[in-house]
Amino acid sequence: MAARLVKRCTCLLREATRVAPAPSPVPLGRLRPAGVAHKTLTSSPSPPVPGPLSHVGKEQVFTPYPERQEVDVLIEKATQPEELLALLGGDHGLHHHHAALILIQLSRLLSERTADKAWLLQEPRFLQLLHLVNSQIAAVWHGTLVKLLRSLYALALPPTSRELQSVEQEVRWRMRRLKYKHLAFLAESSTAYMQERGSRELLAELLLHLERRWAEIEDSRTLVAIMVKAGHLSESLMNRLEDKCLELAEQFGPDELRKVLVALAVQKRRSVPLLRAVSYHLVQKPFSLTKGVLLDLAYAYGKLGFHQTQVFQRLAADLLPLTPSLTSSEVARCAKSFAFLKWLSLPLFEAFTQHVLSRAQSVTLPHLCDMLLAFARLNFRPEQEERFFSLVHERLGAQLAGLDPSLQVDVVWALCVLQQAREAGLQAVLHPDFHTQFLGSESPKDWSTFQKLLHINASAQLEHPDYKGPLLPASALVPRPSGNRKVTPLQKELQDTLKGLLGSADRARFLVAMQFGWVLDAEVLLDADSQFLPLRDFVAPHLAPPAGSQPLPPGARRLAFLRWEFPNFNSRSKDLLGRFALARRHVLAAGFLVVDVPYYEWLELKSEWQKGAYLKDKMRKAVAEELAK
């Protein structure tokens, strides 16, 4: 059809050139080929183009942009809807362009006045405006058309409105001819409305054109706006936008870098090349980062789990002098972000502690709980430890029972990590009426909460000798199957080296699940002469249920091997995270000598002989330290 249309137009143009003798040039826009639908030709307004063709046909096809008139000034200066509607009754000679401008201005004036929108939809003059625009919708210019669509959405026209459907259809017809800036405007201003109102076909077509024409993006603002507003709606579009971000990253300012990172964080897209590029510019360029930008950057890096030491150092250094001006909510949010990143800046966290203590009466309990959980994750104990935890216990008091059950367990677990748990808190979460809701649950969240209950139960048994109960029932202590966990290289090498040292399989247990909720990488038993003993028949009270009946011989010692992988430590540190520090304390309190095998020491061992000698030396040191006590 398109080929035949072009051929027909060519014939008409040739005929017009040969027949018409008029010497004066007539705009090409006045030529209308016979037999062609008027709406098809007028759906793409463009400026008049002078040419040598004579006048053929009296109806204008391509609408020139109207000249500015007095009524345009009145529309711009209007501050009340009535002023705009009154223009219909004057002698202004309004046409479709003015009607569209009035509708756009009405949406601006009523953007925060929901009650007036319902009145406006019943106003006859408003309906007259809609009819006027709809009657000549094909003559509305591109920029005005996309703004008109946004305005009709904002004015809450019903999806069944004929005028709204007409504007949507016109936008779809023109989609290929719209400039990319018009597509970006629609993406930025109207995608949420399209989703809410069920305009799925228009939205799908908009996303398709945004993706196909992504190379036309020339400025960083347009790129970031599309990524924020429409990137989450199309995986393929987001991939294109990430590529374009890499190309335009040098043009980004701090606010645009923030928006890109937050968009990635919200969509959970860990695009490593883009994160590296953004981190490079944050470090290399002397941006002045505001408080809001710093908090959002910390949130985004924490959400994505992307570690970049120089960026974290800058964030901590820039946030430190701003700490007094932060609200309690912002302090809690920032502490959580750095805890997710496993980044412990001692000066910054001391400042957070001082902030909480100086605003003790205004800090809400949820924010205080967030701070406590962040401290526990990083195993951070402030210098003003006594004052801080006194405040925590004072604020918790009778309010602990009012928290969400999972949060109650998290708070008591955090206090156990920091060795600040009290009997009342232990009893509250270990009471049968409380913990039964987590027993036998299959959801991952409840499983995680139950694991923390096991750790709390272990703390009550091992670290609080005066605790009288209650405790978890023995049936709850039996380890559950945890599925197929991937064996790490360090874990496999440690097991193989130990098997080579022991020479017999009955002299060690591997992957020992304890009743305290922890798993030992290996367990061995040494007699008084530091010789390996078989474990099978000797009593093992740490198992669930306890195994063996034969008591340990005099002078015998249990050794537990604990490997510490890279994720078990604070970032850029050899200090264990709170969870693993708690595990080590429990294993020691259960009567074991601990043989630590950290990844940074194991990686230095190249041969099997070095690894075997390393483990022998570790065992000798553990026994010697015990004898020295």
Side-chain angles (χ1 to χ4, degrees):
M1 180 180 292
R4 287 191 294 172
L5 177 61
V6 172
K7 183 177 180 180
R8 179 64 175 157
C9 289
T10 303
C11 293
L12 288 172
L13 291 173
R14 188 182 302 113
E15 184 70 17
T17 304
R18 185 176 66 252
V19 173
S24 59
V26 177
L28 177 62
R30 301 189 62 84
L31 177 64
R32 183 183 181 191
V36 180
H38 170 63
K39 190 167 187 177
T40 304
L41 291 179
T42 59
S43 63
S44 172
S46 59
V49 180
L53 301 180
S54 61
H55 177 72
V56 180
K58 297 181 179 180
E59 185 176 356
Q60 183 173 349
V61 177
F62 297 105
T63 307
Y65 195 84
E67 295 181 0
R68 187 172 178 82
Q69 303 175 10
E70 180 183 357
V71 67
D72 295 282
V73 179
L74 296 176
I75 294 173
E76 291 177 1
K77 292 184 177 180
T79 57
Q80 295 296 329
E82 186 60 35
E83 298 178 25
L84 294 169
L85 296 175
L87 295 175
L88 282 171
D91 299 329
H92 300 290
L94 297 182
H95 52 71
H96 62 277
H97 177 71
H98 294 140
L101 294 180
I102 292 174
L103 290 171
I104 294 169
Q105 186 69 358
L106 279 172
S107 72
R108 292 172 182 165
L109 296 178
L110 299 180
S111 58
E112 298 181 358
R113 297 158 61 177
T114 307
D116 290 343
K117 292 180 182 179
W119 160 79
L120 185 66
L121 295 180
Q122 306 300 324
E123 171 63 40
R125 291 171 294 178
F126 176 74
L127 300 178
Q128 185 180 348
L129 284 172
L130 290 176
H131 177 73
L132 179 57
V133 171
N134 186 47
S135 64
Q136 300 186 48
I137 189 64
V140 177
W141 277 63
H142 295 335
T144 307
L145 181 67
V146 295
K147 291 179 182 178
L148 177 62
L149 179 59
R150 190 272 311 270
S151 300
L152 295 183
Y153 283 144
L155 290 171
L157 261 69
T160 56
S161 168
R162 183 181 65 180
E163 291 80 3
L164 176 60
Q165 292 177 350
S166 175
V167 175
E168 288 181 334
Q169 187 62 38
E170 185 68 24
V171 170
R172 290 187 64 189
W173 282 343
R174 298 194 200 176
M175 194 74 74
R176 290 187 179 184
R177 297 186 296 278
L178 292 177
K179 293 182 179 179
Y180 202 88
K181 67 177 182 180
H182 297 140
L183 299 179
F185 178 83
L186 285 175
E188 186 176 0
S189 62
S190 303
T191 49
Y193 292 113
M194 293 178 189
Q195 288 180 284
E196 293 173 3
R197 295 172 174 270
S199 303
R200 300 191 180 277
E201 294 181 357
L202 177 59
L203 178 59
E205 195 162 342
L206 173 61
L207 295 174
L208 182 63
H209 282 273
L210 286 170
E211 177 191 347
R212 287 179 174 177
R213 297 169 57 184
W214 67 279
E216 297 179 31
I217 301 176
E218 296 179 350
D219 63 290
S220 56
R221 187 208 167 278
T222 300
L223 173 60
V224 173
I226 298 175
M227 176 176 283
V228 172
K229 295 294 184 178
H232 63 286
L233 300 175
S234 171
E235 176 78 16
S236 54
L237 172 61
M238 194 63 183
N239 291 334
R240 300 294 191 186
L241 295 177
E242 288 177 0
D243 292 341
K244 197 66 178 180
C245 279
L246 290 172
E247 180 183 335
L248 299 180
E250 291 187 8
Q251 302 178 19
F252 288 173
D255 193 57
E256 290 164 331
L257 292 174
R258 173 185 67 86
K259 290 179 180 179
V260 169
L261 282 177
V262 171
L264 292 176
V266 170
Q267 300 177 44
K268 299 180 181 179
R269 294 181 63 93
R270 200 172 185 273
S271 175
V272 174
L274 183 53
L275 289 171
R276 286 176 177 170
V278 171
S279 301
Y280 172 81
H281 291 291
L282 283 174
V283 172
Q284 296 298 324
K285 295 183 179 179
F287 290 134
S288 178
L289 303 179
T290 63
K291 178 179 69 174
V293 171
L294 290 169
L295 292 174
D296 284 345
L297 291 177
Y299 159 78
Y301 277 102
K303 183 77 172 179
L304 297 170
F306 185 77
H307 294 264
Q308 218 294 331
T309 302
Q310 291 176 300
V311 172
F312 301 163
Q313 288 173 340
R314 177 171 185 184
L315 293 180
D318 288 356
L319 278 169
L320 184 58
L322 298 175
T323 304
S325 66
L326 299 179
T327 64
S328 300
S329 173
E330 290 170 338
V331 168
R333 174 188 171 192
C334 191
K336 285 177 61 177
S337 298
F338 280 105
F340 280 127
L341 292 168
K342 300 185 288 188
W343 182 265
L344 178 57
S345 171
L346 291 176
L348 183 61
F349 273 74
E350 290 291 352
F352 288 165
T353 305
Q354 183 59 45
H355 182 282
V356 172
L357 294 175
S358 61
R359 295 167 174 79
Q361 301 305 318
S362 62
V363 176
T364 64
L365 185 59
H367 295 154
L368 192 60
C369 291
D370 287 340
M371 293 285 293
L372 182 64
L373 294 176
F375 286 6
R377 176 173 171 80
L378 298 173
N379 199 25
F380 170 70
R381 300 183 186 184
E383 292 182 357
Q384 303 183 63
E385 182 176 354
E386 185 175 349
R387 284 187 60 197
F388 178 78
F389 288 109
S390 296
L391 172 64
V392 169
H393 289 296
E394 177 186 344
R395 295 297 302 276
L396 283 174
Q399 298 186 58
L400 178 63
L403 299 176
D404 178 79
S406 297
L407 182 57
Q408 288 186 51
V409 175
D410 288 342
V411 167
V412 177
W413 179 84
L415 291 172
C416 289
V417 170
L418 298 170
Q419 296 181 286
Q420 297 294 329
R422 292 183 177 178
E423 185 173 356
L426 298 174
Q427 290 175 334
V429 298
L430 294 178
H431 195 278
D433 293 340
F434 179 86
H435 66 65
T436 49
Q437 60 187 306
F438 301 107
L439 298 181
S441 176
E442 300 296 333
S443 72
K445 182 178 180 181
D446 287 347
W447 165 255
S448 175
T449 301
F450 177 71
Q451 286 296 112
K452 290 182 178 180
L453 279 174
L454 290 176
H455 303 161
I456 294 171
N457 189 71
S459 288
Q461 288 180 283
L462 302 174
E463 299 184 328
H464 294 78
D466 297 331
Y467 181 74
K468 304 301 182 183
L471 295 170
L472 295 179
S475 59
L477 305 181
V478 178
R480 303 182 190 179
S482 57
N484 296 324
R485 291 186 177 180
K486 185 177 180 180
V487 178
T488 67
L490 172 56
Q491 181 180 4
K492 185 177 185 306
E493 291 177 10
L494 175 60
Q495 292 180 3
D496 292 344
T497 304
L498 272 175
K499 289 175 182 177
L501 287 178
L502 298 174
S504 175
D506 63 349
R507 293 182 176 180
R509 294 191 185 99
F510 295 97
L511 299 179
V512 184
M514 305 174 70
Q515 61 172 287
F516 308 121
W518 308 111
V519 177
L520 306 179
D521 288 284
E523 172 194 357
V524 299
L525 186 62
L526 297 180
D527 62 13
D529 298 326
S530 296
Q531 300 297 317
F532 294 109
L533 296 174
L535 292 169
R536 182 177 53 191
D537 297 328
F538 291 107
V539 64
H542 55 283
L543 301 180
S549 57
Q550 185 177 345
L552 295 181
R557 301 175 180 85
R558 294 186 185 276
L559 271 68
F561 290 83
L562 299 178
R563 61 181 169 85
W564 303 119
E565 306 273 4
F566 177 80
N568 303 152
F569 294 90
N570 283 327
S571 182
R572 309 288 292 183
S573 170
K574 294 182 180 180
D575 298 326
L576 289 170
L577 294 172
R579 173 187 180 88
F580 305 103
L582 178 66
R584 192 178 188 282
R585 288 207 321 263
H586 284 176
V587 173
L588 285 170
F592 285 85
L593 303 182
V594 173
V595 178
D596 296 302
V597 186
Y599 77 96
Y600 52 85
E601 292 181 355
W602 190 262
L603 290 177
E604 296 178 358
L605 308 173
K606 305 303 179 183
S607 66
E608 293 299 324
W609 179 87
Q610 286 180 318
K611 295 172 183 177
Y614 170 83
L615 292 181
K616 289 180 181 179
D617 184 58
K618 281 279 189 177
M619 288 188 285
R620 282 195 296 266
K621 286 182 178 179
V623 173
E625 289 176 1
E626 175 66 17
L627 293 175
K629 294 179 182 179

